[in-house]
Amino acid sequence: MAGTEEKDNADSLVADIHKKITEAFDLFDHESNKTVDVREVGTIIRSLGCVPSEAELHDMLHEIEEEEPTGYIRFEKFSIMMTKVLIERRYKPTPDDQILRAFQVLDTEGKGYLTVEELTKYMTEEGEAFNQEELEEMLSAAVNPDKGNIQYKDYVSEMSQEDT
Amino acid sequence: MGCSPSKKVVRAKNATKRLRAVVRIQTWYRRYRANLEARRRCTWSIFQSLEYAGEQDQLKLHNFFNNMLDSLVSDGNSPAPLIRAFNVNKRASIYDTQSMRDSGGEMLQNLLEGMEVEPSYKGPHLTFPLTMNQLHKIVQSFRRKLTLHAKYTIQLLLEVRRILKTQGNIRYASTSLSKQVTVCGDIHGKLSDLYTIFHKNGLPSVNNPYIFNGDFVDRGQFSTEVVIVLFSCFVMNPNEVYLNRGNHEDHVMNLRYGFVKELQMKYKQHSRKVIHMFKDVFSWLPLATVVDDQIIVCHGGISDTTNLKTLAKIDRHRYMSTLQPPGECEDISTMDTQDLIEWKQVLDLLWSDPKPIDGCQPNTFRGGGSYFGPDITTSFLQQNKFKLLIRSHECKPEGFEYTHNGQVLTVFSASNYYEMGSNLGAFVRIQGAELECRVVQYMSTHSPTHRKVSFTQRINTVEKSAIQDLKEKILASKHKLLSEFKKCDLDNSGSISSSDWCCALETVLEIELPWRTLKSKIAKCDNNGDVQYETTFDELEVRHRYSGNGPSITETLYRHRENLETIFRLIDTDHSGFISMQEFEDALMLLIKQVDIRINERDIRDIAYSLDINKDGSIDFNEFLEAFRIVDNFGKDHTKRVSRDHSIDSAHVPSIASELDEKE
């Protein structure tokens, strides 16, 4: 009957989501004791396909941290929060064309590319600033070795191909 | 005058727009990086699970044979010579090592009999005592892909043996003269990593002492070269080079993990004697080194019963292989308590792994040893007034790792251990009065002109390799998996649910992995997430070039090929690479007894017959093992090629050579 079938589907969806969350969590659970370092929670959440900003991430962490912050997040709390997030499809990733448009906004002169200085300035001085490591890694892939600048159209399409 | 209000508004709007764009890009990039990081860890867990599953297999095989040793006498049907072949520690060597004279004796002459150096030999002619100049020549000849002649190899080994016999089970190093000491971890035949270490840290000398913490051989392709270079350094500086035994300085491990095979290939008709010498010399390697009475260095770790006093007194030479009870023991069940205690002491030192949970449990994934917790470490260090335990044995992505609140330091020196780009290697410099530990990391590249690979490309390469290894393992159980899949496919649609698929894989393969995450990389899925299970195998199947037997038997043999290899090499006591048809049949029969597979005697005889290619009653088992192929529907070969290790062409050879020049 339609009703029970729907419920079955809903149940199996939740079960599926739960397993996904468990697997992602376990990858970062170094001590095999169902806890992860709080600094890696962002990575885990993003690897599950959710794209909160740093500010939104901060809020999520606040929800699941212990009363006395221990530096660790426990699985139970994480799982409950993450299940809701995934079912409600919150923090969906931005489609590529909007990323392209974001680059174009930064390209104030409409050159079709950004210089290393420009991108560095934006990424490290504005918004939710990159640290040195993040900047270096982005530049290592984004800078066109022949032209010495960031051909952002190519960069965005390369990234979208690599990202399964 | 200032700005007009509308201009201000526009400027503000633009600023907001820009801010939003920046945050969008930052968030997008962070997501991409997180994905990479998750993939990197996933890949790592694939490699480690496969590695440890192999070791577990090894353990099962050896428990099985240790048990069978008991029934050697009682069971009249067991192929007795075969079983006897497995007691490596008991086998008569080509010489009686206890009464062997060290110099000028008859035994020595016999050993080197028939080993005259041919005029066509282009490598170095060693004379003892060894000099730096000769090490230089050895390194140069390795670069030209020459093998050190068996005669000189054996002479070197005899010299090593002579010195090792004078050293205790536990060596004591002091930094009073040199003010520092360097510790290196597993090298596993990666010659380029050894050269990298010498390039960065200098060659061993009176002012530059080294502790090499075991596992010099197996897995890599230049185990012979690595161990010859290390042993050469050792005989030139016996008081400044400390060699600890690892679990791979062990004949039984060498049979399975490549060292014996490498020796056979490189020494050909002389390999038997060379293999026996290595077997003997490895059993003389000390078990641990203590630095300034404060830092203990051993290959694996400790257990709750580790006792240095007991260790100091045992006769370490009785263990040609630590996987078997020592020399004279007839039968495990009648082993006396003292022997059991000593055996456990040795196993624990060479095989244990630290774990984050308190307490001590048997190490079920490896060949023996224990899992020891932080409390065990604390009490051991306290008891012995040590401040740190340095060990190796486990590959780490960064080449090193502190654990147990900084009381245990793991150092692993083989970079790119699983695959090019999989991990860094590292060594530790202990310096100063406070014995501070400074870790140096590196990653070997193929050549000086190797293009710098981006993080992403590296992850892609390593991931691809891991998935290929995993798929091979999946293919090896194709029949079992298909039958499990079909059980779940009630409506015969060719698709089953995600959880059924994951469950089947975990049950049949018996390895824990994030299957759900890996699903899309292994098989095709429907739009609703169900798995088209036949695509798990990519239309590939295992074939054997020579055996005409059915797919199911071929697959079974393929699945157990590592065990088969171990068994073959054990049977092949003269290390010729050939065994008789009867021995081959006996080996398969033994394997069947150990694992649950259905091959009847008729099939075994057929297999043996089809492999006797020259029809001379003997089987070249190297060829047998190498003849497995993975082919697709069109017969195209998809077998994974072992990546060529270009260690010998290492970029650092010239600099080491010049350093050697300077020292003359």
Side-chain angles (χ1 to χ4, degrees), chain A residues 16 19-20 23 27-28 30-31 40 43 46-47 49-54 93-94 96 98-99 102-103 105-106 122-123 126-130 133-134 137-138 155-156 159 162-164, chain B residues 14-15 17-39 41-42 45 356-357 454-456 460 498-499 502 513-518 521:
Chain A
D16 209 58
K19 293 225 177 92
K20 245 168 109 169
E23 275 188 2
L27 276 179
F28 292 82
H30 303 293
E31 304 192 4
E40 302 199 291
T43 309
R46 290 178 179 122
S47 75
C50 297
V51 196
S53 65
E54 289 287 302
T94 316
D96 286 341
Q98 287 192 31
I99 299 294
F103 274 103
V105 164
L106 300 184
Y122 285 129
M123 293 296 117
E126 300 200 29
E128 297 177 333
F130 274 178
E133 196 193 328
E134 287 171 314
E137 265 183 42
M138 181 185 223
Y155 179 49
V156 172
M159 292 279 271
E162 281 182 11
D163 204 12
T164 35
Chain B
N14 283 343
K17 217 169 147 197
R18 211 174 55 224
L19 181 62
R20 238 207 310 265
V22 169
V23 172
R24 265 221 173 117
I25 293 173
Q26 288 163 336
T27 310
W28 165 78
Y29 184 74
R30 286 185 167 122
R31 195 244 152 157
Y32 170 77
R33 275 205 70 198
N35 245 17
L36 277 183
E37 185 57 30
R39 280 167 64 200
R41 277 159 204 269
C42 202
S45 73
I357 307 160
S454 77
F455 189 56
T456 308
N460 283 339
S498 206
S499 27
C502 295
L513 281 174
W515 293 110
R516 189 165 260 85
T517 313
L518 291 167
K521 298 204 198 287

Side-chain angles (χ1 to χ4, degrees), chain A residues 58-89:
Chain A
H58 193 76
D59 291 337
M60 290 164 89
L61 276 173
H62 195 67
E63 215 182 292
I64 57 180
E65 250 170 358
E66 306 291 315
E67 292 85 47
E68 299 279 332
T70 57
Y72 287 96
I73 299 294
R74 291 192 301 125
F75 176 69
E76 297 81 28
K77 289 194 173 180
F78 177 79
S79 175
I80 294 173
M81 176 203 70
M82 206 60 218
T83 309
K84 263 193 348 187
V85 166
L86 285 175
I87 289 190
E88 294 171 14
R89 305 206 189 188

Side-chain angles (χ1 to χ4, degrees), chain A residues 98-158:
Chain A
Q98 287 192 31
I99 299 294
L100 185 56
R101 254 194 295 210
F103 274 103
Q104 284 165 342
V105 164
L106 300 184
D107 181 13
T108 48
E109 297 163 29
K111 310 189 286 294
Y113 62 85
L114 287 174
T115 67
V116 173
E117 292 75 31
E118 281 177 310
L119 188 61
T120 303
K121 190 160 185 296
Y122 285 129
M123 293 296 117
T124 58
E125 292 178 23
E126 300 200 29
E128 297 177 333
F130 274 178
N131 61 37
Q132 191 59 27
E133 196 193 328
E134 287 171 314
L135 174 72
E136 273 170 22
E137 265 183 42
M138 181 185 223
L139 289 178
S140 76
V143 175
N144 182 311
D146 301 319
K147 305 221 166 92
N149 57 38
I150 294 103
Q151 303 282 322
Y152 49 80
K153 190 148 182 272
D154 295 337
Y155 179 49
V156 172
S157 69
E158 256 173 50

Side-chain angles (χ1 to χ4, degrees), chain B residues 62 66 69 83-93 250-253 255 276 279 318-327 566 569-571 573 575:
Chain B
H62 275 279
N66 284 337
L69 284 174
I83 304 289
R84 256 199 287 278
F86 286 94
N87 194 343
V88 157
N89 286 343
K90 216 178 148 194
R91 217 187 299 172
S93 317
D250 179 315
H251 186 64
V252 171
M253 296 296 279
L255 288 170
H276 276 281
K279 184 168 90 168
R318 294 166 81 208
Y319 300 91
M320 297 287 180
S321 167
T322 56
L323 286 175
Q324 294 179 336
T566 309
R569 290 195 195 282
L570 271 168
I571 298 174
T573 47
H575 298 294

